[in-house]
Amino acid sequence: MEFEDKVKGLIRSIPRGRVATYAQIASLAGNYRAARQISRVLHTSSDKDRLPWHRVINSRGGISLPRGRGFEEQKRLLKREGVCSDRRGRVDLARFQWEPPGSPSPAARRFLRRLISET
DNA sequence: AGTATGACGTTTT
DNA sequence: AAAAACGCCATAC
């Protein structure tokens, strides 16, 4: 249960007014390929363990919950913290993504990735 | 030891 | 832009 505990701790450490992606949490927890685990953990434990589940979104900056099954509430909870999303549930990651202290900044990584895809 | 789950991510149509 | 096709993997049972 080591991985899962790390995941929960990480999710709890996302500050108000910021978001993290599933892949980001997985990576910080030690397995960059385990993004799906994050959704599993959220699905099973976010109520029970009172996790700030609404601060976790997908790598495109979007809300993954379907409309009518959580989408609206997540959007509302984020809005309440100052994180705005468009009608389709997209958040500007460059502005709102959490950058944990001491780790390579997601903003920098996005920048480098964009340079690569230019060629 | 399989098999199912799950709010994912990247690449390819 | 959007959807399908893949790949991915810790847990529960």
Side-chain angles (χ1 to χ4, degrees):
Chain A
M1 244 138 110
E2 182 59 34
F3 181 82
E4 191 167 316
D5 292 334
K6 275 188 196 166
V7 166
K8 290 177 187 171
L10 285 162
I11 292 174
R12 273 190 241 276
S13 61
I14 307 170
R16 269 188 37 246
R18 319 240 63 194
V19 296
T21 68
Y22 302 94
Q24 178 185 5
I25 298 297
S27 178
L28 292 169
N31 187 344
Y32 72 99
R33 287 167 300 198
R36 302 193 71 179
Q37 307 319 304
I38 313 310
S39 53
R40 197 197 96 253
V41 170
L42 286 172
H43 188 83
T44 63
S45 326
S46 58
D47 259 16
K48 164 166 67 83
D49 296 324
R50 325 212 61 159
L51 301 174
W53 57 271
H54 58 284
R55 301 190 186 132
V56 186
I57 61 182
N58 65 41
S59 69
R60 306 185 334 255
I63 289 173
S64 282
L65 285 160
R67 298 187 184 256
R69 291 189 280 130
F71 176 95
E72 292 82 1
E73 191 188 6
Q74 182 164 14
K75 191 175 161 76
R76 199 192 79 239
L77 290 171
L78 286 174
K79 183 79 173 266
R80 198 166 66 180
E81 309 185 336
V83 177
C84 30
S85 50
D86 65 19
R87 163 173 36 200
R88 305 220 314 283
R90 301 292 284 282
V91 170
D92 183 359
L93 285 180
R95 237 173 61 182
F96 295 110
Q97 185 170 20
W98 176 45
E99 299 186 9
S103 83
S105 108
R109 299 193 53 171
R110 273 195 306 278
F111 179 72
L112 293 175
R113 201 169 182 292
R114 202 171 67 74
L115 287 190
I116 292 170
S117 60
E118 296 287 319
T119 57

